[in-house]
Amino acid sequence: MASQRMHNRNLGTVISLCDLTGHMVLPWVDAGYRAVLVDPQHGISSDDGRVERIADTALGAAFRLGQIVRTENVVFVAGFPPCTDVAVSGSRWFAAKAALDKHFQAKAALVAEQCRMVGMLSGAPWFFENPVSVFSSIFGLPDHTFSPEDFTGHCANDNYTKKTCLWVGNGFVMPPAFKDSTLGGPDNRIHTAPPGPERANFRSATPMGFAEAVYLSNAPHLKLSILTETRLPRAANDNLKAANDNAEQTNLF
């Protein structure tokens, strides 16, 4: 479990764009990575050493993001561009929105493109996500799709449906599905969410099971551990594990 990991290492920096909840970075921060969250809804920018929150858009935060990419070891980038103006579930409102602003979907696509460019420039594995949307006509078909119910083995509370599309790059590894077979069928909470000021944030919150699965499949130190276990003879690997355990015990606080 993420909550059982230690906070005694700085393994690199994870950037999560258009991210209010921070769900995506929780497993990484628990493991010792630093996280940078960018979203105007943060209200006030802050940095407690483990999580830096930038209260701005990806474009508005470009200078700071450039500093981070140039001076820190960025190991992963995630993007969650708003879907309000592009999701096909809201297509019945497209005509009215276009009458007010014919560029409304182009503006939405620009946010997704900003997420993509930060990922590409970082050199780290990246993705940006959206539900089924017009982005498929702009960025091409998604590289992967998932639904929160696919990862209930990591978080049973995510037993709900929401088809989500991923566009990825720089070696992003799509995690395998891991379902809790003891749960009943998934519910439809996303589509039945009542109207209200927090409806969009509720519907767009990153499912924790997916966040955990992405972490497990993409965290560099876990990949290194798997590579070491594969290549080293058993005795040498046991010695390395013992040395790492001793080092962690020494650094605990």
Side-chain angles (χ1 to χ4, degrees):
M1 295 293 292
S3 61
Q4 295 174 326
R5 300 187 186 113
M6 305 312 297
H7 306 291
N8 62 325
R9 294 177 290 179
N10 183 4
L11 300 174
T13 300
V14 179
I15 297 173
S16 195
L17 305 166
C18 309
D19 187 348
L20 175 64
T21 67
H23 289 179
M24 189 67 225
V25 304
L26 283 176
W28 301 79
V29 172
D30 259 352
Y33 292 85
R34 190 176 103 82
V36 178
L37 303 177
V38 179
D39 194 292
Q41 293 184 87
H42 289 308
I44 300 175
S45 297
S46 63
D47 187 351
D48 65 8
R50 296 173 60 208
V51 179
E52 179 177 351
R53 292 175 173 83
I54 303 175
D56 209 334
T57 63
L59 181 60
F63 180 77
R64 177 61 184 137
L65 289 171
Q67 288 180 319
I68 292 167
V69 168
R70 290 191 300 271
T71 62
E72 299 184 26
N73 175 30
V74 177
V75 298
F76 195 80
V77 177
F80 304 90
C83 65
T84 304
D85 291 334
V86 292
V88 297
S89 60
S91 60
R92 60 188 177 277
W93 292 295
F94 286 174
K97 290 181 177 182
L100 296 173
D101 181 1
K102 64 181 180 180
H103 301 300
F104 80 104
Q105 288 186 330
K107 293 175 180 177
L110 282 174
V111 179
E113 176 64 7
Q114 291 158 13
C115 294
R116 189 179 75 91
M117 289 304 299
V118 172
M120 292 181 66
L121 292 171
S122 75
W126 60 267
F127 77 81
F128 76 82
E129 63 89 37
N130 230 241
V132 178
S133 71
V134 301
F135 282 171
S136 294
S137 300
I138 299 171
F139 297 101
L141 294 177
D143 298 294
H144 305 282
T145 62
F146 77 94
S147 184
E149 68 199 87
D150 294 337
F151 301 105
T152 49
H154 296 299
C155 180
N157 289 335
D158 290 342
N159 194 28
Y160 64 94
T161 59
K162 182 190 177 186
K163 185 176 181 180
T164 305
C165 302
L166 300 178
W167 290 263
V168 310
N170 288 353
F172 171 86
V173 176
M174 182 65 186
F178 180 40
K179 292 187 176 183
D180 184 342
S181 60
T182 66
L183 300 175
D187 64 56
N188 198 28
R189 71 188 73 164
I190 295 300
H191 298 98
T192 59
E198 290 302 313
R199 185 173 189 266
N201 285 334
F202 170 76
R203 287 164 56 92
S204 64
T206 305
M208 284 304 306
F210 170 71
E212 178 77 7
V214 168
Y215 160 77
L216 291 173
S217 292
N218 290 276
H221 77 287
L222 296 179
K223 289 184 177 181
L224 181 60
S225 296
I226 293 172
L227 183 64
T228 300
E229 291 172 0
T230 301
R231 290 185 174 180
L232 287 179
R234 180 178 297 274
N237 187 51
D238 289 345
N239 290 338
L240 179 62
K241 183 178 184 300
N244 287 337
D245 289 343
N246 289 336
E248 290 196 358
Q249 291 175 5
T250 301
N251 292 323
L252 292 181
F253 63 87

